[in-house]
Amino acid sequence: MLGGGVIGLACAYYLLQAGAKVRVLEQGRPGGGSSHGNCGTITPSHAPPLNAPGTLGKALRWMLRRDAPLYVNPRPDFARLQWLLGFARRRNPRDFWRAAEARAAILERSGALLQRLVADDRLDCEYARAGTLYVFRDARAFAQEQAHLDALARLGIAVERKRGDEVQALEPALKPGVAGGILHPDDAHLRPDRYVAELARRVRELGGAIEEGARVEGFAFGGERIAAVRTSRGDFAGERVVLALGAWSPLTARSLDLRLPMQPGKGYSITYTRPERVPRMPLVLRERSVCVTAWSSGYRLGSTMEFSGYDATLNRVRLDALRRGAAEYLHEPEGAQVLEEWWGWRPMSVDEVPIVGPSTRWKNLLLATGHGMLGVSMAAATGELVAALAGGNDPALDPLPYAPARFGL
């Protein structure tokens, strides 16, 4: 298993449950990448992809605003340009609905599996199924959400439209002046760093090995098979190799002569001690694209999407935008103490559908990557699917929409 983030560990867990022997190779520590600092929301409500009508034009208008919710760095970058052109070509009803239906299926399956996993394996990760509330302060922006509501209805995902006064009654942490809201009652949330730590614990308890500090440096081949993985901690061999390296996947895949159509989408968060007046459920402050999640152990502002390639700097302009956005909506937008300022790369596939399944190039390679902003939400079903495909069993999900073969991989 290459990668010890939420996807890699979920794959390891379900492979172990199926009777496989598993060794996870992680370049840092388990869950140290984008699994660590996200808002921890479990969101079937995010089934419709970003690539909806109007998204591309909005991104172009925001390109020169470094604090925009969706920011594309104008610096020349051929790989990013190629990805953006592929993304733009899919801005049509056929590709939109193909992606939406695939995402809805894996999100629904994963949500059900996660709820059972947390209960049956007693994962201490502050899981709760409280829903998610989108909040609007602009009446026109609220009215424009009808297409989103229609898409969710078509996909069979529960959604409730709320008047401004109903939203204020649901959520006293909000300042007056709410125009309306959209409640997603079937969404859930958890503390993502604790969830990944608990998955790592269960992988070890089930007999799996996790090699930390094992950076992938290359491969040895035998015909159409990967004979060994070369790492900073030595060579490792196995009957099968699962590539679950998140945003690092395209870089490692080049050594396998695979060109994954992915870009890193940078997200940010700030974690605080809990303020006195915290939201009762996760919020999305819609006009500012700020996500707010509270747990008993802390409080987090997060979100935003930045396409700047593999830029490894923390952009304080974007952290400040999170703070300003929260201050517009909440009585107490920040906690008394900042515990962490964070950024992470999300693995964004060009069609916004994860790339999961056997490679057409290497007979013993499976891919499990490209989950975008929904890695935590999709992890359990991804792990189940990988375990079924590795074992030659019939999967619960139709594997075709996620297959690497759609990109010739």
Side-chain angles (χ1 to χ4, degrees):
M1 178 69 58
L2 310 186
V6 70
I7 297 297
L9 290 171
C11 291
Y13 172 87
Y14 283 98
L15 284 164
L16 288 161
Q17 292 282 19
K21 294 182 179 179
V22 178
R23 184 177 300 274
V24 179
L25 307 181
E26 166 55 43
Q27 67 176 345
R29 57 181 178 78
S34 61
S35 305
H36 172 77
N38 64 72
C39 283
T41 51
I42 313 301
T43 48
S45 60
H46 281 39
L50 289 173
N51 202 356
T55 302
L56 190 62
K58 188 180 293 185
L60 292 173
R61 290 194 301 273
W62 282 343
M63 273 186 70
L64 299 179
R65 278 187 50 199
R66 295 188 69 207
D67 64 344
L70 175 59
Y71 172 65
V72 180
N73 192 312
R75 186 186 67 244
D77 182 321
F78 178 75
R80 185 170 68 241
L81 176 61
Q82 191 175 35
W83 185 91
L84 287 168
L85 290 173
F87 185 79
R89 283 196 298 270
R90 289 169 172 82
R91 196 171 59 88
N92 61 75
R94 184 191 67 176
D95 286 328
F96 176 88
W97 285 110
R98 182 181 296 164
E101 288 166 0
R103 287 158 60 98
I106 195 169
L107 284 166
E108 181 181 2
R109 179 65 182 168
S110 203
L113 286 172
L114 175 60
Q115 190 169 13
R116 294 205 298 269
L117 174 61
V118 170
D120 294 348
D121 287 57
R122 299 180 181 179
L123 304 188
D124 181 13
C125 59
E126 301 188 58
Y127 174 87
R129 194 173 177 184
T132 302
L133 182 63
Y134 284 22
V135 183
F136 298 80
R137 293 183 66 84
D138 183 289
R140 187 169 68 171
F142 182 44
Q144 290 172 347
E145 285 293 301
Q146 189 58 49
H148 173 72
L149 297 173
D150 293 343
L152 291 176
R154 176 170 167 175
L155 294 168
I157 296 169
V159 61
E160 300 172 16
R161 189 183 182 99
K162 301 289 185 182
R163 299 188 312 271
D165 61 324
E166 293 175 318
V167 173
Q168 299 273 188
L170 271 174
E171 193 46 84
L174 291 165
K175 289 180 178 179
V178 174
I182 298 173
L183 176 64
H184 303 289
D186 292 338
D187 286 2
H189 67 283
L190 47 71
R191 177 98 190 208
D193 48 345
R194 292 194 175 183
Y195 173 50
V196 176
E198 287 290 88
L199 275 179
R201 173 181 65 81
R202 289 295 293 133
V203 165
R204 290 184 171 111
E205 288 174 352
L206 291 168
I210 300 176
E211 305 287 348
E212 299 186 23
R215 183 180 65 255
V216 177
E217 296 181 339
F219 300 90
F221 304 105
E224 296 180 329
R225 298 178 64 84
I226 298 171
V229 182
R230 293 174 173 157
T231 81
S232 55
R233 291 191 52 191
D235 292 358
F236 296 90
E239 182 181 343
R240 292 182 183 273
V241 176
V242 180
L243 192 156
L245 289 168
W248 293 97
S249 298
L251 304 182
T252 301
R254 290 175 191 169
S255 300
L256 297 167
D257 197 27
L258 299 176
R259 298 294 181 264
L260 271 61
M262 292 168 53
Q263 274 286 300
K266 203 173 188 182
Y268 292 82
S269 72
I270 310 170
T271 305
Y272 301 88
T273 53
R274 278 172 60 98
E276 288 295 322
R277 299 175 71 175
V278 297
R280 295 171 173 173
M281 68 182 75
L283 305 178
V284 176
L285 312 178
R286 197 69 174 94
E287 290 90 346
R288 297 293 173 257
S289 296
V290 176
C291 181
V292 184
T293 310
W295 308 283
S296 61
S297 62
Y299 172 80
R300 182 168 290 165
L301 306 178
S303 196
T304 82
M305 180 68 76
E306 175 185 338
F307 289 104
S308 295
Y310 288 94
D311 171 33
T313 59
L314 187 145
N315 185 341
R316 191 157 296 281
V317 170
R318 301 187 70 72
L319 292 179
D320 291 342
L322 293 176
R323 291 187 172 97
R324 286 197 307 274
E328 290 181 28
Y329 292 75
L330 297 168
H331 287 292
E332 291 188 61
E334 301 182 55
Q337 181 182 353
V338 175
L339 301 178
E340 183 178 28
E341 295 179 328
W342 175 91
W343 65 266
W345 288 319
R346 307 177 181 109
M348 305 296 294
S349 70
V350 72
D351 63 356
E352 298 188 76
V353 176
I355 303 170
V356 182
S359 167
T360 61
R361 172 68 177 84
W362 302 102
K363 290 185 175 179
N364 63 333
L365 174 67
L366 288 103
L367 301 173
T369 189
H371 295 78
M373 299 184 293
L374 299 172
V376 174
S377 291
M378 294 179 173
T382 297
E384 181 192 53
L385 178 57
V386 165
L389 293 172
N393 301 315
D394 291 333
L397 280 176
D398 177 4
L400 189 60
Y402 318 102
R406 72 188 191 273
F407 298 121
L409 301 170

